[in-house]
Amino acid sequence: MKLRAALLGAVAVAGLAPAAFAERGTDGEVKLTFPQAVSIMNPYLSGGTKDILAAAMVLEPLAVTDPDGVLVPRLAVEIPTVENGGVSPDLTSITWKLLPDLKWSDGTPVTADDAVFTWQYCTHPEGGCSQATKYEGVASVEAVDPSTIKVTFTAPKPNPYTAFVSGLSPILQKAQFANCLGAAAPTCTDANNMPIGTGPFKVTGFTVNDTVTMEANPNYRDPAKPAFAKAIIKGGGDAESSARAVMETGEFDYAWNTQIPPDSQAAMSAAGKGQFVVAFGTLVERLEMNTTDPDPALPEGERSTAKHPHPILSDIRVRTALSKAIDRSILVEVGYGAGGKPTCNVIPGPAEWASDNDGCIAQDMEGAKALLDEAGWKDSDGDGIRDKDGKKLKLLYQTTVNPIRQDFQALIKDWWTELGVEVELKAIDPGVFFGGDPGSPDTFQKFYADVEMYANNSETPDPESYLGQYQCKNAPTPETQWQGENINRFCDPAYDALYAELTKTTELAKRQEIARKLNDMVTKDSMIVVPLVHRGTLSAHSNSLGGVRINAWDMETWNVADWFRVK
Amino acid sequence: MTDVSTTQPKPSSQMRDIWNQFRTHKGALFGLVTLGILIAAVLIGPYLWIPEKLSVAEAIKLKNQGPSLRFPLGTDQLGRDMLARMLLAGRVSLAVGLVAMVIAIVFGTFIGILAGYFRRLDSPLMRLTDMFLALPLIPLLLVMVMLFRDRIAGVIGPELGAFTLIVFAIGITSWMATARIVRGEVLTLKEREYVLAARSIGAKPNRIILRHILPNVVSPVMVAATLGVAEAIITESVLSFLGLGFPPDFPTWGRLLFDGLQYMQVYPERVVWPGLAISLTVLSVNYIGDGLRDALDPRIRGR
Amino acid sequence: MLTFTLRRLMLAIPTLLVISLVIFLLVDLAPGSPLSDIPLTVPPDVRQKMIEAMGADQPVFVRYFLWLRQFFWVEPAYLFDSWFGTTWSEGELRILSWQSRSPVFTIIGQRLPQTLTVIGTAYLVGVLIAVPIGIYSAYRQYSWFDQAGTMFAMIGFSVPTFFSGTLLIIIFAVWLGWFPTKYDTQLVVNDWESFLKQVRQMAMPVMTLGLANAAAISRYMRSSMLDNMGMDYVRTARAKGLSERTVVLKHVLRNSLIPVVTVIALGIPAIFGGAIVTENLFGVNGIGAALIGAIQGNDIPMVQTIAFIFAVLIVLFNLIADILYGLLDPRIRYD
């Protein structure tokens, strides 16, 4: 998997050289701050990025993806491939070799048994493991010898780098978690909060949803690292206060997820204490079009289901017109600044996977108006709102409560009003919107609105499972308790067939080609999904912190061992 | 202790007395005039000050401007005219603040008097108050939205529905302190000699309450009312974060204040305008309350 | 008074049980899910498994009775065990937060110190400022001091804490650099230097909250003093030749305290409940921040436990207020 960087913005690579001369623990303390505090240090019991970021400083997988999208070994000697014999030619198994003399922070050796145990831990039926998808399709994990791990799949796996790869599925110490299998998992509070790992730091103190204190791991494999003797992660507050603590007061060295308005970004940078860094993954802010009718007059259970096609948005010309009316560059300027760029794709990167579709970038108000005219929506009574067969062109547009999203709503409403569309806006508490409670009318899955806006991304550079969301069978319905990822209720047999082909294809170039085609099918060909902005993750670090290489393909703390104090 | 109201049979002349006393209170007049100006501004203002119609692209070029002749209060991050937004926002904020305050005060006073005066009602009503105090506010509000928003909107339309729900939600969650304070006062008042005297001559409870108790709990109630207005205006902005408030493009003072917060260092005027408006409202309600209390106090009135 | 207290305490038990049930049903009914924080990339079937592992798919009454048992039996037994080394709670599940999988009482224990020091100090500061201001404002009604006090109070409660707090941060942390913006919960005070550090990091949250508290209490104090200033007994006391000091501070003050006692009794449980906005703003991470985080994450065990302790405190302090009424005004009788 050779992936090229989709990396913009200032990345501090400069000054890596001095780190080589550093000694472990000579640079004092590194202080990180997260807007959301760390709840638990065990990634298998948490899904929140905040927790996994912290855990990645302590627990390590066999391999991680670097900022260029290239897989690099961590606990493994090398990345197994078909060429070096690590992956079986039929793609049904992968064999990893552990580094020699690996030790846990308590001094005991790391063996292949730990990996086997980790697999058992996450796949236990009563455990409720949040990273279960990482082990999907794994038939068995064996310890061939103390330093060799063999993962066997139930079927040929084109992308065998899921289990034990990335900060999402690190290796746990068997000795520490042995009594924590299944239903007992949550009762192991000490293990979950202070896991023993192989990473550059070890946890010395943990207060839930507040502070994690760490010190350099005395048994870390590189005797010169980490440069810092201590690390602390303080959580809580908001993006604004985190950014301020790094950029203006200089109390902290690193702040994760500092998404603040572009004006404030500029003002804070001017203080000269730190800098913002950004990495672009696959996160796309998009408008989702409802293909089914959300009319409140319909009986409960039929509203927003395939039984009733949407009276307005079923027409592709209307959807296209709505997209054409939007000027995405203004959205970026207002909401994200350096942290975003206009896009027309659901998969905006990595470059090999991204379609070249950019037809939506230029705003075309006249073209949009012409399309609506053509579709029969005309302003017959002169009130500025188009209508057809006595029905007004009126849309309910919902999203979560978030200042940037509210600005987007206001701008898009203005454009659509110019188009002759009446728009009603609605903002919903994010906990409710994403909560998926079938009893609430306001979840994004239920989609009791015409258009909704949020962001989604692919967890891995390979977007297979991400594209699987738009299969017909994944539509949320009352029968599935309104669970499902195909929230547009998009249903195209051609898409499903092509997707089935993707799951069977093993050749990389072919996979990328199919993925690009699938991307086009949901975006420019059907306008079911109207992408707006390709969002980066924006973080901030102080000028005195060196070695930071922000990473969109894995945890941002992936190279914390290389961080050092600029003198 | 004498109670003037019992010796003056005609309520109309009593009202005039109160008004006469009220008029001599400088603070109260200032408050009344300020509040009147604010209300008039938000009612008439949007018809007098019509912002220019700008396309999005034009407006964006004019974002974050300082005060000027064209934009007396400047523009916001999307280039919208702040004066127009402040006027529009004031309608909602003033209405919500005043109406929700009245609901909370009337309900709280009612419960407080019943609990304080009638011993049998004291325990159940105060336990009810305890329960409302203990309920976590946000889940309560979320449940109310979930259950009632669509239903109310279906009956009286989305905007009036939102207003009703907001006012009701704020009212129902902020009467408890008033009730407890009034009850505490009533407990001591009802043992005072003049109340005992009234009771001994056979006065009915409702008469004793209206004539002797109510006028004497006015001052803590007025303080609660002043606090209530400020709280209601701020709470409204909190509600909009739960999706309970008005549609997101509908400005209110509380929301403008909160939105302006992240721009406070760069464009401080963005928080100054809504902050000033809220403070002025609260200040004028407070002075009106002060004047009203003095006017209702027969001992001062005669002076 | 003793019988009254005992009767009220007896009555408190069913009251609290009813309150706990209402809170439980309310939080359960509220839309949202403990998984709303989980990225959208986690598929629905994995989510379902996670819900089952939490026990969140059980019927609401099963969960309620489990919580009752855990709260009233397992947790006390656990506490007893940790004191006396017994094993009564062995094998019993403590109340675990769904979000962090940590025992709820451990979290409360971690958060209580900063809640009490920061929020408690702020409240104390508020009361200590408010009472003298209220008394003197009433004594010299419409003097310049009274007017200034009024302005101070109006600003105090018409400016929300999210605004005043941010303003303080910009002035004292960004411009002047005197105080830190993030509260260090791990700070151990063991010498003069660490004490100063603690004072510095407490300064801004205490100022923010103290201002808001003082504003409200001083208004109640003032208005209640004013009511009593014109009373006949005050005239009598003055006529007797008592000093102004005695008249104001003994006679008037005592009779004016009832509404103030009520307000303070309402405020003290709120110290435990924390100050959500202020805690978040300064990273104090006390109980208020825990509660709001749990509410957003629909973490029912956590919300329920904190809300219930809060309810106990409310009932308790309202009882204390009632007893104080009787002491302040012996004419009040409850029997």
Side-chain angles (χ1 to χ4, degrees):
Chain A
M1 264 204 342
K2 270 261 174 188
L3 303 172
R4 197 160 49 81
L7 194 79
L8 273 193
V11 176
V13 194
L16 271 175
F21 306 113
E23 238 177 281
R24 175 180 298 159
T26 51
D27 281 356
E29 189 179 36
V30 61
K31 297 174 87 176
L32 294 84
T33 178
F34 294 176
Q36 293 130 320
V38 181
S39 308
I40 190 167
M41 292 288 280
N42 179 353
Y44 294 109
L45 291 185
S46 160
T49 311
K50 61 198 172 94
D51 302 334
I52 302 168
L53 274 175
M57 295 171 73
V58 176
L59 298 169
E60 290 180 304
L62 293 174
V64 295
T65 314
D66 77 359
D68 302 328
V70 180
L71 216 53
V72 291
R74 264 284 144 93
L75 298 182
V77 175
E78 60 174 357
I79 302 296
T81 57
V82 179
E83 289 77 40
N84 66 20
V87 177
S88 68
D90 61 353
L91 304 179
T92 55
S93 74
I94 180 168
T95 308
W96 297 85
K97 211 72 185 131
L98 283 173
L99 285 171
D101 299 326
L102 266 183
K103 284 199 178 71
W104 294 104
S105 58
D106 63 358
T108 56
V110 180
T111 69
D113 280 341
D114 292 308
V116 176
F117 172 78
T118 303
W119 167 66
Q120 287 163 347
Y121 180 86
C122 188
T123 49
H124 193 287
E126 284 166 36
C129 174
S130 52
Q131 308 301 340
T133 40
K134 292 277 164 198
Y135 299 94
E136 217 170 62
V138 173
S140 71
V141 177
E142 299 155 72
V144 178
D145 64 55
S147 66
T148 311
I149 303 154
K150 184 176 178 201
V151 182
T152 314
F153 302 106
T154 48
K157 202 148 168 106
N159 177 15
Y161 310 108
T162 53
F164 312 122
V165 176
S166 104
L168 296 168
S169 66
I171 293 183
L172 299 177
Q173 191 193 39
K174 182 177 179 180
Q176 193 186 22
F177 282 90
N179 295 324
C180 308
L181 278 176
T187 61
C188 295
T189 308
D190 285 342
N192 290 334
N193 290 345
M194 301 173 82
I196 294 168
T198 54
F201 291 96
K202 67 172 199 178
V203 190
T204 53
F206 185 89
T207 45
V208 180
N209 283 334
D210 178 40
T211 311
V212 190
T213 49
M214 296 183 244
E215 63 180 37
N217 172 4
N219 291 306
Y220 188 59
R221 54 188 175 276
D222 184 340
K225 287 174 183 174
F228 291 101
K230 283 180 174 174
I232 184 167
I233 303 175
K234 166 82 183 177
D238 51 25
E240 184 92 17
S241 69
S242 300
R244 183 177 290 130
V246 171
M247 304 290 289
E248 287 189 316
T249 67
E251 291 163 71
F252 284 82
D253 296 304
Y254 192 90
W256 163 69
N257 198 5
T258 51
Q259 191 59 64
I260 53 171
D263 290 328
S264 307
Q265 286 174 25
M268 286 197 183
S269 301
K273 288 208 162 103
Q275 59 193 73
F276 286 105
V277 283
V278 62
F280 285 95
T282 56
L283 189 65
V284 171
E285 186 82 23
R286 76 281 295 285
L287 294 177
E288 304 271 6
M289 302 278 173
N290 196 346
T291 60
T292 59
D293 192 356
D295 188 349
L298 290 172
E300 199 57 33
E302 293 187 15
R303 201 176 164 192
S304 276
T305 63
K307 219 174 209 172
H308 304 276
H310 198 286
I312 301 169
L313 293 176
S314 293
D315 188 341
I316 186 175
R317 287 171 296 193
V318 179
R319 301 197 296 262
T320 313
L322 292 176
S323 170
K324 275 180 187 291
I326 297 170
D327 186 342
R328 288 163 173 78
S329 54
I330 287 184
L331 293 180
V332 171
E333 183 193 331
V334 164
Y336 294 99
K341 27 190 189 183
T343 187
C344 305
N345 293 313
V346 167
I347 302 170
E352 290 83 358
W353 295 88
S355 159
D356 57 359
N357 161 34
D358 60 359
C360 73
I361 302 287
Q363 185 191 25
D364 179 10
M365 192 58 86
E366 292 318 307
K369 284 179 180 163
L371 265 175
L372 286 184
D373 287 338
E374 186 194 317
W377 291 97
K378 293 198 170 73
D379 183 12
S380 59
D381 51 5
D383 64 350
I385 310 293
R386 289 170 190 265
D387 51 79
K388 182 165 128 180
D389 310 330
K391 191 174 163 48
K392 293 234 175 273
L393 184 43
K394 181 172 190 262
L395 297 174
L396 175 61
Y397 168 17
Q398 70 181 19
T399 187
T400 65
V401 176
N402 167 320
I404 295 177
R405 292 203 170 123
Q406 263 72 79
D407 283 354
F408 276 27
Q409 275 188 316
L411 290 170
I412 291 174
K413 180 179 175 171
D414 275 358
W415 285 315
W416 286 355
T417 310
E418 198 184 329
L419 204 56
V421 181
E422 191 183 347
V423 185
E424 188 190 330
L425 301 181
K426 191 167 161 188
I428 299 161
D429 179 58
V432 175
F433 190 70
F434 293 120
D437 185 340
S440 166
D442 289 332
T443 66
F444 78 107
Q445 291 106 328
K446 230 173 195 174
F447 207 165
Y448 280 0
D450 303 300
V451 181
E452 65 185 6
M453 176 170 74
Y454 60 87
N456 200 353
N457 65 307
S458 167
E459 195 171 59
T460 50
D462 183 317
E464 181 183 314
S465 63
Y466 184 41
L467 287 166
Q469 295 179 1
Y470 292 101
Q471 291 173 87
C472 195
K473 62 170 188 189
N474 285 344
T477 59
E479 290 75 41
T480 63
Q481 294 301 307
W482 296 104
Q483 304 306 311
E485 299 146 315
N486 178 2
I487 56 117
N488 321 72
R489 291 86 160 123
F490 172 67
C491 200
D492 182 354
Y495 184 92
D496 289 8
L498 193 59
Y499 179 74
E501 198 185 322
L502 176 68
T503 59
K504 292 192 202 91
T505 309
T506 56
E507 191 196 329
L508 189 60
K510 188 93 180 96
R511 283 176 70 77
Q512 291 168 343
E513 192 196 324
I514 296 175
R516 288 195 295 265
K517 228 180 252 171
L518 289 170
N519 168 74
D520 290 351
M521 285 172 91
V522 288
T523 56
K524 74 171 177 192
D525 298 347
S526 65
M527 290 291 173
I528 287 296
V529 183
V530 175
L532 300 173
V533 178
H534 180 192
R535 283 171 51 186
T537 43
L538 190 71
S539 293
H541 70 83
S542 68
N543 288 335
S544 68
L545 181 68
V548 175
R549 287 183 71 201
I550 190 169
N551 190 340
W553 306 115
D554 212 306
M555 296 302 125
E556 277 181 30
T557 49
W558 72 291
N559 73 336
V560 70
D562 303 332
W563 292 6
F564 62 95
R565 181 71 61 205
V566 177
K567 299 210 171 75
Chain B
M1 158 159 183
T2 54
D3 194 66
V4 181
S5 55
T6 48
T7 62
Q8 285 186 336
K10 281 194 210 135
S12 62
S13 73
Q14 188 190 352
M15 288 302 285
R16 170 156 305 158
D17 267 9
I18 292 173
W19 172 238
N20 283 338
Q21 173 64 32
F22 186 84
R23 268 195 329 195
T24 61
H25 193 291
K26 263 188 253 153
L29 276 189
F30 158 79
L32 203 62
V33 171
T34 314
L35 194 64
I37 293 175
L38 280 172
I39 292 176
V42 303
L43 284 183
I44 310 166
Y47 299 105
L48 299 180
W49 180 259
I50 297 154
E52 309 168 46
K53 265 257 172 264
L54 295 170
S55 76
V56 176
E58 287 164 342
I60 286 291
K61 289 200 192 84
L62 296 168
K63 68 177 178 181
N64 295 323
Q65 299 234 324
S68 63
L69 264 183
R70 191 173 171 198
F71 304 109
L73 299 185
T75 58
D76 71 358
Q77 76 276 12
L78 300 181
R80 292 175 292 199
D81 180 31
M82 277 298 280
L83 176 58
R85 282 173 73 75
M86 281 292 296
L87 291 173
L88 215 56
R91 283 188 177 185
V92 181
S93 288
L94 280 175
V96 167
L98 298 175
V99 177
M101 175 270 282
V102 168
I103 292 179
I105 293 303
V106 169
F107 193 62
T109 310
F110 182 69
I111 297 276
I113 287 182
L114 288 187
Y117 194 82
F118 301 102
R119 195 173 295 145
R120 263 181 307 123
L121 290 178
D122 186 22
S123 185
L125 284 178
M126 281 303 108
R127 298 300 78 77
L128 183 78
T129 313
D130 285 349
M131 191 179 86
F132 268 91
L133 281 169
L135 287 183
L137 183 65
I138 293 174
L140 180 68
L141 295 170
L142 284 176
V143 168
M144 284 176 60
V145 189
M146 188 175 82
L147 294 181
F148 303 120
R149 190 190 52 211
D150 288 350
R151 268 169 235 182
I152 297 182
V155 179
I156 51 177
E159 268 178 28
L160 197 60
F163 180 78
T164 316
L165 197 59
I166 288 168
V167 163
F168 183 69
I170 297 175
I172 199 103
T173 51
S174 50
W175 56 270
M176 293 83 74
T178 315
R180 292 232 22 128
I181 292 162
V182 168
R183 167 183 171 269
E185 283 279 87
V186 173
L187 282 177
T188 80
L189 287 173
K190 74 171 179 184
E191 306 296 341
R192 292 266 163 93
E193 293 82 355
Y194 61 92
V195 178
L196 293 177
R199 207 184 295 161
S200 67
I201 58 167
K204 292 254 168 46
N206 58 352
R207 192 171 167 79
I208 297 177
I209 287 172
L210 284 176
R211 284 283 169 188
H212 304 285
I213 305 256
L214 202 52
N216 284 294
V217 293
V218 165
S219 57
V221 168
M222 281 304 153
V223 178
T226 323
L227 293 169
V229 175
E231 226 174 72
I233 292 177
I234 302 301
T235 311
E236 186 281 323
S237 67
V238 176
L239 295 186
S240 56
F241 296 106
L242 303 173
L244 174 68
F246 292 93
D249 55 337
F250 211 93
T252 67
W253 286 343
R255 197 182 287 179
L256 288 179
L257 185 63
F258 195 87
D259 283 352
L261 210 60
Q262 48 181 341
Y263 298 92
M264 182 147 87
Q265 265 169 289
V266 203
Y267 311 108
E269 68 272 12
R270 293 277 306 280
V271 288
V272 168
W273 306 130
L276 205 62
I278 298 175
S279 297
L280 269 181
T281 311
V282 175
L283 204 59
S284 51
V285 171
N286 173 70
Y287 277 124
I288 295 172
D290 260 12
L292 212 56
R293 203 210 47 224
D294 286 3
L296 284 174
D297 188 336
R299 288 181 302 269
I300 299 178
R301 200 158 70 219
R303 284 209 302 250
Chain C
M1 195 52 93
L2 188 65
T3 45
F4 163 74
T5 312
L6 284 177
R7 210 181 54 221
R8 275 283 293 275
L9 283 176
M10 294 299 288
L11 192 63
I13 294 168
T15 313
L16 284 170
L17 278 177
V18 172
I19 293 180
S20 78
L21 180 64
V22 173
I23 297 175
F24 201 92
L25 291 176
L26 181 75
V27 179
D28 184 68
L29 191 61
S33 134
L35 301 184
S36 56
D37 244 7
I38 305 279
L40 297 179
T41 46
V42 175
D45 50 323
V46 176
R47 282 167 186 266
Q48 188 55 36
K49 278 261 160 50
M50 292 169 75
I51 292 270
E52 281 165 21
M54 287 173 188
D57 59 335
Q58 302 275 318
V60 59
F61 283 98
V62 174
R63 279 182 286 131
Y64 177 62
F65 285 113
L66 177 71
W67 177 83
L68 276 184
R69 202 184 112 75
Q70 285 173 330
F71 191 92
F72 290 104
W73 168 246
V74 182
E75 291 292 343
Y78 182 84
L79 195 67
F80 193 83
D81 288 353
S82 61
W83 282 346
F84 302 106
T86 48
T87 52
W88 287 3
S89 63
E90 196 133 284
E92 299 272 15
L93 206 58
R94 299 180 65 190
I95 307 176
L96 294 181
S97 153
W98 285 347
Q99 266 181 326
S100 62
R101 313 296 178 95
S102 292
V104 169
F105 276 92
T106 309
I107 302 176
I108 294 178
Q110 285 170 354
R111 283 167 178 255
L112 206 53
Q114 49 272 26
T115 299
L116 292 182
T117 50
V118 176
I119 319 290
T121 310
Y123 202 76
L124 198 66
V125 167
V127 173
L128 289 180
I129 295 176
V131 171
I133 288 186
I135 294 173
Y136 196 74
S137 288
Y139 185 63
R140 291 259 178 268
Q141 195 189 5
Y142 302 132
S143 65
W144 69 266
F145 182 89
D146 182 29
Q147 303 289 6
T150 303
M151 285 306 274
F152 161 80
M154 290 307 122
I155 292 168
F157 57 71
S158 66
V159 172
T161 45
F162 64 74
F163 175 70
S164 52
T166 314
L167 191 68
L168 288 181
I169 287 182
I170 290 179
I171 296 175
F172 291 109
V174 177
W175 291 348
L176 298 174
W178 291 356
F179 305 130
T181 60
K182 297 254 179 204
Y183 188 92
D184 179 5
T185 51
Q186 310 296 307
L187 184 70
V188 184
V189 178
N190 50 14
D191 54 10
W192 181 243
E193 199 186 329
S194 57
F195 175 74
L196 277 184
K197 215 170 164 188
Q198 174 69 16
V199 170
R200 271 210 304 276
Q201 68 173 350
M202 275 173 65
M204 288 198 294
V206 168
M207 270 194 271
T208 310
L209 279 175
L211 175 70
N213 287 332
I217 298 173
S218 73
R219 295 315 286 175
Y220 280 113
M221 190 73 238
R222 173 181 178 273
S223 85
S224 183
M225 287 288 286
L226 279 178
D227 275 359
N228 281 289
M229 243 14 163
M231 290 282 187
D232 298 340
Y233 71 85
V234 180
R235 213 173 306 152
T236 315
R238 282 194 176 125
K240 273 201 302 188
L242 294 180
S243 69
E244 275 300 289
R245 202 186 163 79
T246 321
V247 171
V248 175
L249 291 185
K250 263 186 99 176
H251 293 76
V252 184
L253 183 61
R254 177 172 177 164
N255 282 290
S256 311
L257 276 178
I258 284 195
V260 179
V261 163
T262 316
V263 174
I264 294 178
L266 286 170
I268 290 177
I271 296 175
F272 171 83
I276 292 166
V277 176
T278 315
E279 284 186 17
N280 246 330
L281 202 57
F282 297 100
V284 176
N285 291 348
I287 289 172
L291 181 62
I292 190 75
I295 287 173
Q296 281 163 353
N298 215 290
D299 186 349
I300 297 181
M302 185 92 180
V303 178
Q304 173 73 14
T305 309
I306 295 180
F308 184 70
I309 297 177
F310 190 48
V312 172
L313 289 176
I314 286 172
V315 171
L316 189 70
F317 275 92
N318 284 347
L319 174 63
I320 292 175
D322 278 355
I323 296 171
L324 280 177
Y325 291 169
L327 295 178
L328 289 169
D329 186 346
R331 281 173 300 188
I332 295 181
R333 283 167 291 122
Y334 293 107
D335 38 85

